[in-house]
Amino acid sequence: MAQSQPAIVFEHVVKEYEDGTRAVDDVSLEIPHGAFAVIVGPSGCGKTTLLKTVNRLYEPTSGRVLVDGQDALAVDPVLLRRGIGYVIQQVGLFPHMTVAENIGVVPSLVGWDALRTAQRVDELLALVHLEPNQYRARYPAQLSGGQQQRVGLARALAVDPAILLMDEPFGAIDAIERERLQDELCALQARLHKTVLFVTHDVEEALKLADLLIVMRAGRIEQAGTPLEVLTGPANVFVGALVNADDVLRRFSLMPVERAMGAASDGASSGYKILAGRTLRDALATMVSAGVDSLQVVDAAGAPLGTITLADLRRAARPATK
């Protein structure tokens, strides 16, 4: 059954400090249940401050933050935070506790017994691709940065919260491990369908993860929409420059072949095929590699759906006219 209200609502949220600085300046936004929402923007734009108003690490100067329809300020902050997973760049694992003990902190606080907690620890370690027998008794200092971040994610998921806040979680990890963790997070989200609010300054990461992309500058939201909407129709020059909207390959990486294909035509087909759901970037790479100028688009059973040609790609590369 569809949820009757958004998971998170920001209503004219302002966060102003004593010196008069407005870190968040009149933000209104709705985040639906199950959305993977990513806030991107330059340093100091207010993205982390906005995220922290959800679990009341920061409280708004004015406006409201609603979590599942309830004003966050009306909920005891300890109870609120226990129901929201939170993952940060520094991970924040307790160094004197084992991996199992770190993951079991919140379950023990909410009264789970030892057996249930131990079972959940092993389940979560397997979920984040850490073999339980190998890792549950280790200490944080015995883990790599990527392994620590996996444990941090497992801890955030321990009591199965509906909402997950992630603040630059992969910022301190090397590029190869970062990409691996991004892929695993995408796979996890496909299975778990959490409402995720994710903060990053990395535009590539934002475009890869988001189904709702939120661009911030100077405490305000400049644009919110799907990554493709933002790339193909930036609200202003700032947004266009931030996401590099003129980068054709970047746009192609978000556009399925169905968006540009023509009707099925045996005569136009080169004999090479591409699966529906693959991107225009995949189609271009296949054409270049095979030395052909057309591909037949097929479904998972191999049935033809249409044909995509180099001319179709050229048309798709043209910027949208306003």
Side-chain angles (χ1 to χ4, degrees):
M1 180 181 296
Q3 298 284 350
S4 60
Q5 60 206 358
I8 304 169
V9 178
F10 300 97
E11 292 183 348
H12 300 289
V13 172
V14 172
K15 178 60 181 177
E16 185 172 304
Y17 296 111
E18 292 182 0
D19 64 0
T21 300
R22 282 198 169 193
V24 176
D25 188 6
D26 194 23
V27 165
S28 293
L29 178 72
E30 294 186 355
I31 299 175
H33 283 273
F36 199 122
V38 179
I39 308 175
V40 68
S43 297
C45 72
K47 51 190 185 292
T48 289
T49 303
L50 184 65
L51 176 139
K52 288 182 176 180
T53 63
V54 178
N55 61 359
R56 290 185 59 184
L57 291 177
Y58 292 144
E59 296 191 352
T61 306
S62 62
R64 295 197 305 166
V65 180
L66 305 179
V67 178
D68 283 329
Q70 189 170 16
D71 189 338
L73 291 180
V75 182
D76 180 276
V78 174
L79 294 178
L80 179 72
R81 290 167 195 156
R82 285 180 186 171
I84 298 174
Y86 185 45
V87 185
I88 58 176
Q89 180 176 323
Q90 297 83 7
V91 186
L93 299 179
F94 299 111
H96 61 288
M97 290 184 176
T98 65
V99 164
E101 290 167 340
N102 266 284
I103 297 173
V105 166
V106 176
S108 66
L109 288 174
V110 299
W112 289 19
D113 62 41
L115 177 60
R116 183 183 180 191
T117 298
Q119 290 173 337
R120 181 62 171 163
V121 166
D122 285 1
E123 175 187 346
L124 288 167
L125 285 173
L127 189 68
V128 297
H129 299 117
L130 294 174
E131 204 287 314
N133 289 333
Q134 185 176 353
Y135 287 98
R136 72 166 75 91
R138 291 191 183 183
Y139 288 88
Q142 298 172 308
L143 305 176
S144 69
Q147 290 167 346
Q148 289 184 27
Q149 200 56 267
R150 284 180 166 83
V151 174
L153 178 57
R155 184 174 65 180
L157 294 169
V159 293
D160 198 23
I163 295 173
L164 189 61
L165 305 180
M166 306 187 76
D167 187 8
E168 298 273 10
F170 307 145
I173 298 171
D174 68 81
I176 294 174
E177 182 68 7
R178 181 177 187 140
E179 185 170 0
R180 187 178 296 123
L181 283 169
Q182 290 168 355
D183 291 340
E184 291 179 6
L185 182 58
C186 287
L188 274 177
Q189 175 63 0
R191 291 177 57 186
L192 301 178
H193 305 292
K194 301 295 182 184
T195 301
V196 181
L197 186 56
F198 187 107
V199 161
T200 184
H201 66 275
D202 185 323
V203 174
E204 291 290 345
E205 181 170 72
L207 292 171
K208 179 175 182 177
L209 296 176
D211 50 55
L212 174 61
L213 183 64
I214 303 152
V215 180
M216 288 190 69
R217 175 173 62 163
R220 289 180 172 269
I221 293 177
E222 295 287 331
Q223 188 171 1
T226 68
L228 187 57
E229 287 170 346
V230 174
L231 267 178
T232 58
N236 51 43
V237 172
F238 168 78
V239 174
L242 182 73
V243 301
N244 197 7
D246 291 332
D247 186 336
V248 172
L249 289 180
R250 177 172 278 181
R251 293 204 307 272
F252 275 12
S253 69
L254 295 171
M255 299 169 71
V257 291
E258 296 93 318
R259 186 181 177 96
M261 75 179 184
S265 172
D266 293 336
S269 176
S270 64
Y272 285 85
K273 299 177 182 179
I274 189 168
L275 275 172
R278 300 299 295 270
T279 67
L280 296 189
R281 187 167 185 166
D282 296 328
L284 178 60
T286 301
M287 287 183 194
V288 170
S289 176
V292 298
D293 60 6
S294 67
L295 301 171
Q296 187 179 54
V297 181
V298 298
D299 64 17
L305 300 174
T307 300
I308 187 163
T309 67
L310 196 55
D312 294 328
L313 294 179
R314 290 195 188 101
R315 281 191 292 272
R318 295 170 189 158
T321 56
K322 294 189 176 181

